[in-house]
Amino acid sequence: MEPSERIRPAVIERIRDEIAAAGGNEVLFICNLDEGGMVFELEVSARGNLGAVPAVAEQMERGQVVLHNHPSSHLRPSDADLEIAARLGDNGIGSMIVDNDVTALYVIVEPVQPQRLQPLDPQELQQVCGDGGPLAETLAAYEARNSQLEMLSFVAHGLNNGGVYVAEAGTGVGKSIAYLVPVFAWLERNPGRVVISTATINLQQQLIEKDVPLVKRALRSELQAVLVKGRGNYLCPARLEEATAELGVIGEDDDPELSAVAAWAAESDTGGRSDLPFPVSDELWSRVNSDADHCSARRCRSRDRCFLMKARRAAAAARVLIVNHHLLFSDLAIRLRGTGFEATAVLPPFQHVVFDEAHHLENSATSYFSQSFSPQALEKQCSRLHRRRRGRVLGLLVRLEKVPGDNTPLKQVPALLEEMKAKMQELSRQALQIVGDNSGLWLPPIEPAQYEHDERQQDLNRLIREFQQQVLDVVELLTDRLLSSKEADREAEPVLVELSGVVRRLEAIASIAEQVLRRDEHPELVAWIERREPGEGKPATVRFTVTPLEIRDLMHEAVYLPYRGVFFTSATLTVRNEFRHWAARVGLDDDRLEQLEMRQFDSPFDYRNHVLLAVPRDAPTPDTPSYTRFLIEFLKGALEVSEGSALILFTSYRMLSEVYTAVKPRLNELGITTFRQGDDDRARLLKRFNQDRCSVLFATESFWAGVDAPGETLRVVVLCRLPFRVPSDPVLIARTERIKARGGNAFMELVLPDAVMRFRQGFGRLIRTAVDRGVVIISDTRVLTKPYGRAFVDSIPETSQVFEDTEAVLRELERFLYA
């Protein structure tokens, strides 16, 4: 092919000059194409020798072309050329070869030509949600909401222009419809895929079961949307067979629970745990669910029956993927490690992402990118290798005896595993002594030498180092066994695939131990010890964790830079109507962002007339011994007035239990049903609460958000304490120290905004529909007496108020509820 057919003349001359300047050696160019597919500009990426040049893939983007010269003038691509071209081609990047004089051109892979995008008309879309529009025809008693129409236009504007868009949508705006309508309309006109990420199962179910079908009917869309779940939610047929076969090995005829799962799996279309018609223990499910460490993927003998593969195929065929934040971050982590953003990782490639429930984002990202090890995690890996049951030896070490390879290294492993577990227990005991009664302990990033006068810390570091070495000794022996098998067997033989998974897990434990020991070299991480209470009658144990100090840079690399459009939405993203606190935590206060817009969309509900905000001024402060006694008597009186229909929110399970135990007898005398978090599964607990209009639910942290109880079921919400995080929280301490180190005010920048946003979530449990009416009681008088208290009141909608003594508050409570 003539180069002039694909490259502009001026660019051809530039290529010749660069090759000459490189002494005729190979030069790698990154090229941009015009609308006609001609190379109109390029830059030199790398220079090599007469036979090769580095291919720096990180510098290349979809739609570009990588071009290099062959000094030999033979344009036939080498095997290396083909391998690199195939990899780049998967990411939409083209590959070409020229000779040194640029008189001949060979195209290996054509680039993906970007299609001209078809923009949305926001006014046209508003008609879908307007009075008399398709949604109104679909839903009885539908009323158009101005704030919803404004948010819809905001999202459409973002899809048209690209960039990062933040929408705080008050309760009642209908934010899911406000983004789903433009998302589906966009995908009807344009190629690509959109991911919608949420924090809770409830919202995922609402989207896939209610909102998406509604929008599809309104737009007459046939686009597919699927709910994508993590691997562990699916049963693995191969592991089920292994678990069943193990029964025969140990001489057991039947395991009723396992047999029930097997019978269900034979009939199930999905293999999803949530579709099981009966409860299954976590212990059993962990033996039969899909697990990356056990998966031999395309080489699996049960591939045709794989429920996970079926779900992944459905995701690949869909244009809208609904996921949770944790699954999305697992996908992004794989992309950052080298898969790239144009290929399939956990999810198929996508171009836009909507983060709903975005107030959870920092916690979700922090949780996913944290790494930890504990005695339980170690025991799981050891058990996979070697365990005894009913006098029989089971595990991978036994199964490996039937696999070709040198099993000599394995003879030492059982004894080493016992030594390793014993050392872990010794380490756990030492850590518990240091942590004491606290729930956790931050390990500051200081040099080991600074612990020379702290014997307990010295002992801890010594035990961590000894434990790490034992783990590495086991890893070395297992790796020797793996390498003694043929490479093809290591990728295909299930036992070797599973052994590789165990090796990876043990290597990760050793790596975490190293990061804990050398934490002074990792200022970007928080090393800490968590005290864990496994349950009644069981001794406390610990978990060693390393956590990202911040997620700002991670969000830039994994989200803001690679995706065309990023949308955040929640009812609670601001403090005193300002986004800056939340925006700073997720890296939106950075000059690297070229396009960023943030807007509030007010709730259409009449809070002024439908909500009474009450504070009993005579309440003791929560840090005094008399506060619990006051709260018990106050709740007895308030709940008698309201006749139940209340949600009591605590920040401490200990206080919850004490108050519940004291209040329950009086409520039972009044015929009021009481529910307590932890006494039943969350979903069943909420269902029972919603079904009983005269009930009271006592709950703590996780119930401050995600509780939806409209109507007479919920007329009173009591916030027993302003929801500041526990000051001894290790990650919070580390983050406050970072803010102080740069001269900031940690309380105003982090602690207070976090508490206000959680407070707003609790407040938002009361009013869920336009006709709801009720009272929010704050029994923590700091909201009135402390200078920062106004930040809480100023961050919620304007309401009726009563800030008086208990007697006056109870009178006004009765008047407001029954007037």
Side-chain angles (χ1 to χ4, degrees):
M1 179 185 295
E2 291 289 330
S4 59
E5 297 178 44
R6 303 297 297 270
I7 308 174
R8 290 185 184 180
V11 178
I12 290 176
E13 289 302 319
R14 167 85 189 282
I15 295 171
R16 288 171 177 156
D17 291 343
E18 293 290 352
I19 293 173
N25 290 305
E26 288 197 22
V27 181
L28 183 80
F29 301 91
I30 295 177
C31 310
N32 293 318
L33 308 184
D34 61 19
E35 292 183 358
M38 294 286 288
V39 176
F40 75 98
E41 65 178 5
L42 53 73
E43 62 181 38
V44 175
S45 174
R47 297 174 179 85
N49 55 33
L50 292 176
V53 65
V56 190
E58 300 85 53
Q59 299 180 20
M60 305 170 194
E61 298 179 359
R62 183 182 181 86
Q64 291 184 311
V65 169
V66 54
L67 180 149
H68 73 286
N69 58 304
H70 275 189
S72 65
S73 297
H74 297 296
L75 301 192
R76 181 178 179 179
S78 66
D79 290 343
D81 290 336
L82 292 174
E83 181 181 348
I84 294 171
R87 175 164 52 85
L88 296 176
D90 286 340
N91 292 328
I93 300 166
S95 299
M96 300 179 181
I97 304 173
V98 294
D99 60 352
N100 276 17
D101 294 330
V102 197
T103 57
L105 172 71
Y106 186 85
V107 179
I108 308 174
V109 175
E110 292 285 357
V112 173
Q113 290 292 325
Q115 292 182 288
R116 186 181 298 275
L117 299 175
Q118 300 299 315
L120 299 172
D121 182 341
Q123 291 186 333
E124 179 184 313
L125 281 185
Q126 283 191 351
Q127 295 175 14
V128 175
C129 299
D131 291 328
L135 275 181
E137 295 174 0
T138 305
L139 288 176
Y142 175 82
E143 292 184 7
R145 308 167 192 174
N146 288 334
S147 52
Q148 185 181 65
L149 298 179
E150 292 171 1
M151 180 175 168
L152 182 151
S153 295
F154 181 71
V155 175
H157 165 71
L159 289 166
N160 286 342
N161 294 281
V164 180
Y165 297 83
V166 182
E168 182 182 73
T171 305
V173 167
K175 58 183 170 61
S176 58
I177 299 298
Y179 63 71
L180 284 173
V181 168
V183 160
F184 272 84
W186 174 266
L187 292 173
E188 287 286 355
R189 294 166 172 79
N190 297 287
R193 189 179 283 108
V194 176
V195 166
I196 298 171
S197 182
T198 80
T200 63
I201 294 173
N202 287 346
L203 181 53
Q204 292 169 37
Q205 291 175 334
Q206 174 191 316
L207 289 171
I208 202 70
E209 296 172 6
K210 177 184 174 184
D211 296 340
V212 166
L214 178 64
V215 168
K216 288 178 65 175
R217 286 197 300 272
L219 295 176
R220 294 182 173 83
S221 173
E222 296 297 325
L223 294 176
Q224 291 300 307
V226 299
L227 175 60
V228 184
K229 299 180 181 180
R231 173 189 288 273
N233 289 281
Y234 296 98
L235 181 133
C236 171
R239 296 193 71 201
L240 177 62
E241 287 180 6
E242 290 174 8
T244 303
E246 189 175 283
L247 288 178
V249 173
I250 62 176
E252 287 189 6
D253 295 330
D254 188 32
D255 178 331
E257 189 179 30
L258 181 61
S259 297
V261 170
W264 164 79
E267 302 294 331
S268 176
D269 290 329
T270 66
R273 186 178 186 179
S274 60
D275 296 328
L276 273 164
F278 50 86
V280 171
S281 67
D282 291 342
E283 188 277 330
L284 174 62
W285 188 254
S286 68
R287 288 163 47 204
V288 299
N289 69 341
S290 180
D291 184 303
D293 292 340
H294 294 77
C295 185
S296 50
R298 291 180 175 84
R299 296 179 176 85
C300 178
R301 62 182 181 276
S302 301
R303 182 187 174 199
D304 293 341
R305 296 179 290 127
C306 180
F307 294 113
L308 177 67
M309 293 288 288
K310 182 178 180 181
R312 294 296 183 257
R313 285 193 293 269
R319 303 286 301 285
V320 176
L321 307 179
I322 298 171
V323 305
N324 64 32
H325 294 339
H326 192 276
L327 183 65
L328 177 57
F329 282 118
S330 70
D331 174 86
L332 297 176
I334 292 173
R335 296 183 187 282
L336 287 175
R337 287 199 293 265
T339 299
F341 292 86
E342 300 294 337
T344 294
V346 174
L347 304 173
F350 52 96
Q351 295 71 43
H352 299 84
V353 58
V354 178
F355 289 97
D356 203 337
E357 300 179 311
H359 58 281
H360 286 295
L361 189 68
E362 183 181 21
N363 287 340
S364 296
T366 298
S367 173
Y368 178 77
F369 287 98
S370 294
Q371 296 179 291
S372 64
F373 70 87
S374 65
Q376 292 79 10
L378 181 69
E379 176 62 40
K380 179 180 178 180
Q381 301 309 318
C382 292
S383 179
R384 290 170 65 182
L385 289 167
H386 184 266
R387 62 186 183 276
R388 292 183 179 275
R389 187 176 176 187
R390 292 185 178 272
R392 300 296 299 270
V393 178
L394 305 171
L396 291 175
L397 299 186
V398 175
R399 293 164 58 195
L400 281 165
E401 294 174 359
K402 301 177 182 179
V403 178
D406 181 9
N407 287 313
T408 305
L410 301 182
K411 294 179 180 179
Q412 306 173 55
V413 172
L416 290 177
L417 294 180
E418 294 305 314
E419 293 175 10
M420 187 169 63
K421 289 190 289 184
K423 184 63 68 175
M424 180 73 246
Q425 292 300 327
E426 185 182 358
L427 173 57
S428 181
R429 288 191 295 271
Q430 179 68 20
L432 282 171
Q433 289 183 16
I434 296 175
V435 173
D437 293 332
N438 297 312
S439 59
L441 178 72
W442 176 43
L443 300 173
I446 60 178
E447 297 180 7
Q450 294 181 256
Y451 285 123
E452 61 180 84
H453 300 298
D454 188 334
E455 291 185 5
R456 292 195 306 176
Q457 282 284 357
Q458 288 182 25
D459 287 343
L460 182 71
N461 287 346
R462 173 183 58 78
L463 290 170
I464 294 174
R465 177 65 70 192
E466 291 173 357
F467 168 71
Q468 180 198 36
Q469 187 56 56
Q470 289 180 336
V471 173
L472 292 174
D473 289 344
V474 172
V475 166
E476 182 178 1
L477 292 172
L478 298 179
T479 301
D480 288 345
R481 172 59 184 88
L482 277 171
L483 294 177
S484 72
S485 294
K486 296 179 180 178
E487 183 175 356
D489 291 341
R490 296 200 297 270
E491 297 177 357
E493 171 58 50
V495 180
L496 295 176
V497 170
E498 189 172 347
L499 183 62
S500 296
V502 173
V503 169
R504 285 194 299 271
R505 296 293 181 182
L506 292 176
E507 286 176 334
I509 289 175
S511 175
I512 297 166
E514 183 70 12
Q515 289 175 322
V516 172
L517 286 168
R518 304 174 74 94
R519 51 192 178 274
D520 58 305
E521 300 176 11
H522 298 280
E524 76 285 1
L525 297 175
V526 181
W528 56 289
I529 305 171
E530 178 188 3
R531 179 188 178 93
R532 310 195 78 194
E533 305 288 347
E536 190 173 343
K538 297 181 179 179
T541 184
V542 297
R543 178 165 63 182
F544 290 84
T545 303
V546 289
T547 292
L549 186 60
E550 294 181 339
I551 66 165
R552 297 164 51 86
D553 290 340
L554 169 70
M555 292 297 293
H556 275 280
E557 293 178 41
V559 181
Y560 305 144
L561 295 180
Y563 292 107
R564 182 181 179 276
V566 179
F567 301 83
F568 297 100
T569 186
S570 168
T572 54
L573 294 176
T574 62
V575 174
R576 285 180 164 171
N577 297 314
E578 291 185 354
F579 285 101
R580 61 189 175 91
H581 301 289
W582 173 83
R585 299 305 305 166
V586 297
L588 291 179
D589 59 344
D590 196 297
D591 293 338
R592 288 177 287 179
L593 292 175
E594 297 180 2
Q595 175 67 28
L596 170 65
E597 295 185 34
M598 298 186 284
R599 280 190 59 185
Q600 289 179 280
F601 300 91
D602 294 334
S603 169
F605 295 160
D606 183 6
Y607 284 89
R608 182 69 181 82
N609 293 305
H610 283 210
V611 177
L612 173 67
L613 182 67
V615 182
R617 283 186 176 273
D618 54 344
T621 55
D623 57 351
T624 60
S626 59
Y627 177 72
T628 302
R629 293 194 300 273
F630 167 85
L631 184 61
I632 289 168
E633 296 306 316
F634 177 80
L635 288 177
K636 289 178 181 178
L639 297 174
E640 181 174 356
V641 170
S642 69
E643 299 176 354
S645 304
L647 174 64
I648 318 299
L649 293 172
F650 297 82
T651 59
S652 158
Y653 194 81
R654 181 179 300 174
M655 178 180 284
L656 182 158
S657 295
E658 184 177 351
V659 172
Y660 175 84
T661 301
V663 174
K664 175 180 167 65
R666 176 56 181 157
L667 297 184
N668 289 346
E669 290 176 5
L670 297 170
I672 297 172
T673 307
T674 56
F675 299 112
R676 175 173 55 176
Q677 177 184 348
D679 287 347
D680 200 351
D681 170 78
R682 175 190 167 96
R684 285 193 296 270
L685 199 62
L686 288 175
K687 183 177 180 180
R688 293 168 63 194
F689 174 63
N690 271 295
Q691 290 172 342
D692 190 334
R693 286 179 51 187
C694 295
S695 63
V696 179
L697 173 58
F698 293 75
T700 185
E701 184 171 4
S702 64
F703 284 73
W704 283 70
V707 174
D708 194 6
E712 294 294 310
T713 295
L714 182 57
R715 298 190 299 158
V716 176
V717 173
V718 182
L719 309 180
C720 297
R721 192 165 185 158
L722 296 179
F724 289 105
R725 294 200 181 275
V726 179
S728 60
D729 178 276
V731 178
L732 179 64
I733 293 173
R735 287 175 172 170
T736 57
E737 289 298 320
R738 167 63 68 88
I739 293 171
K740 291 176 185 177
R742 64 168 185 255
N745 184 321
F747 182 79
M748 299 303 295
E749 292 182 36
L750 176 61
V751 178
L752 180 61
D754 177 76
V756 170
M757 289 172 66
R758 296 173 71 204
F759 169 83
R760 293 184 64 198
Q761 283 290 319
F763 175 88
R765 296 314 94 210
L766 181 67
I767 301 298
R768 309 305 296 171
T769 72
V771 297
D772 286 351
R773 176 183 173 86
V775 181
V776 175
I777 301 172
I778 308 170
S779 56
D780 186 341
T781 55
R782 291 179 297 174
V783 76
L784 301 180
T785 61
K786 295 294 184 181
Y788 58 74
R790 290 302 311 176
F792 292 89
V793 178
D794 291 346
S795 297
I796 58 176
E798 183 182 356
T799 67
S800 299
Q801 297 179 349
V802 55
F803 302 158
E804 302 290 346
D805 61 26
T806 296
E807 192 173 317
V809 165
L810 294 180
R811 284 199 304 270
E812 187 62 16
L813 171 67
E814 184 173 18
R815 186 202 67 77
F816 192 86
L817 290 178
Y818 301 106

